[in-house]
Amino acid sequence: MPERINLTRRVAVVTGAASGIGRAISVALGRRGCRLALADIDEVGLLDTERLASGGQLRISLHRLDVADRMGVAALPAAVLATHGRVDLLVNNAGVALGGTFEEVAASEFEWLFDINFWGVVRTMRAFLPHLRKSDDARIVNLSSVFGLIAPASQTAYAASKFAVRGFSNALMQELEGSSVGVTVVHPGVVATAIADHGRSLTGADQKVVAERMEGVKSLLRLPPEVAAETIVEGIERRAKRILSVGTRKPLR
């Protein structure tokens, strides 16, 4: 294989593409001539991403998808193949936040987050891996987090889910070594997205304490998604196995 991946005319599936890092990654891929299958539960947001990414030249398909929906994920490859005929790149970006200590987070809330952040990745992997194997040069990109490297207090559920994505990706990386499918795991941090605003409110916590805690988290989110996305896509092109995006433009190998 060549040293760098040429993304022109490749087909990329991006989950969580309606906003934030997912939108910025989609736009960055579009600039490189990548054909896009954009998936998200937010259909209005997907239309905005399509407008930003297309430039009027790209083949883009939009797919309403909740990655927690087993049947919806299982049906997605057929819809993508019907439009694009192939899949070369899978970007598992969809995710949610849930700040709170272990005792504050109810079991149902913990499971809700894992169903999206971890099992969503596993579901899309099972759905798309047979099709990625048919590509001569495919790549899986799983977004963990800087909280998949460190685990601060009040991030019990979120950090656990992102450590799980990291472990899953690292094992998969070894299992697919030598095949036409490579794996990249991404650890974004301090990216200015709305993930904190879209997190679920805890039922068993002091809401004033939770609000103050969230404001503290949001004050740290300063890295523009566009900068993070360029770091990520540059890393994909270089076949980086691990990418840390916390303000530096240099991906980790």
Side-chain angles (χ1 to χ4, degrees):
M1 290 185 183
E3 183 179 348
R4 294 177 67 88
I5 299 174
N6 183 357
L7 294 172
T8 304
R9 291 188 294 277
R10 294 283 176 180
V11 176
V13 177
V14 184
T15 69
S19 62
I21 296 176
R23 170 178 288 175
I25 289 174
S26 302
V27 172
L29 290 170
R31 278 200 300 270
R32 290 158 169 84
C34 204
R35 297 167 180 171
L36 302 171
L38 307 179
D40 202 293
I41 199 168
D42 178 2
E43 294 177 283
V44 174
L46 281 178
L47 289 170
D48 288 338
T49 301
E50 179 186 31
R51 175 179 55 80
L52 292 167
S54 69
Q57 303 295 321
L58 298 177
R59 182 183 299 170
I60 299 178
S61 60
L62 305 182
H63 307 269
R64 188 187 184 282
L65 178 73
D66 179 355
V67 296
D69 176 3
R70 292 169 175 79
M71 293 182 65
V73 173
L76 183 60
V80 172
L81 293 172
T83 299
H84 301 279
R86 58 187 290 175
V87 179
D88 304 291
L89 180 65
L90 173 63
V91 181
N92 280 311
N93 166 76
V96 291
L98 183 64
T101 67
F102 177 69
E103 291 176 300
E104 290 171 338
V105 177
S108 60
E109 294 164 337
F110 209 116
E111 290 167 5
W112 166 80
L113 180 137
F114 249 78
D115 206 23
I116 296 168
N117 287 7
F118 177 66
W119 287 113
V121 172
V122 174
R123 289 185 192 105
T124 57
M125 280 295 314
R126 288 203 184 279
F128 279 102
L129 184 55
H131 305 287
L132 290 164
R133 282 192 175 277
K134 296 175 183 178
S135 170
D136 64 326
D137 195 359
R139 198 145 201 100
I140 298 156
V141 182
N142 292 335
L143 271 78
S144 176
S145 167
V146 69
F147 287 169
L149 297 170
I150 60 172
S154 301
Q155 292 293 331
T156 314
Y158 186 76
S161 72
K162 293 303 185 177
F163 267 80
V165 170
R166 174 190 172 196
F168 172 70
S169 302
N170 287 346
L172 193 66
M173 203 179 292
Q174 297 178 70
E175 292 174 4
L176 295 175
E177 188 73 32
S179 76
S180 63
V181 185
V183 179
T184 295
V185 59
V186 183
H187 298 281
V190 300
V191 182
T193 72
I195 189 169
D197 292 324
H198 294 162
R200 184 177 277 194
S201 297
L202 297 178
T203 56
D206 185 317
Q207 294 306 306
K208 182 179 179 181
V209 172
V210 170
E212 290 173 351
R213 198 183 287 154
M214 272 301 172
E215 286 304 312
V217 170
K218 287 191 286 185
S219 70
L220 300 174
L221 305 181
R222 298 175 181 174
L223 182 66
E226 297 76 15
V227 175
E230 275 300 311
T231 302
I232 293 164
V233 176
E234 286 172 9
I236 293 169
E237 290 177 310
R238 295 170 58 182
R239 304 182 191 277
K241 293 182 177 180
R242 297 170 187 84
I243 302 171
L244 178 65
S245 179
V246 290
T248 175
R249 291 180 62 82
K250 184 178 180 182
L252 298 179
R253 287 195 175 277

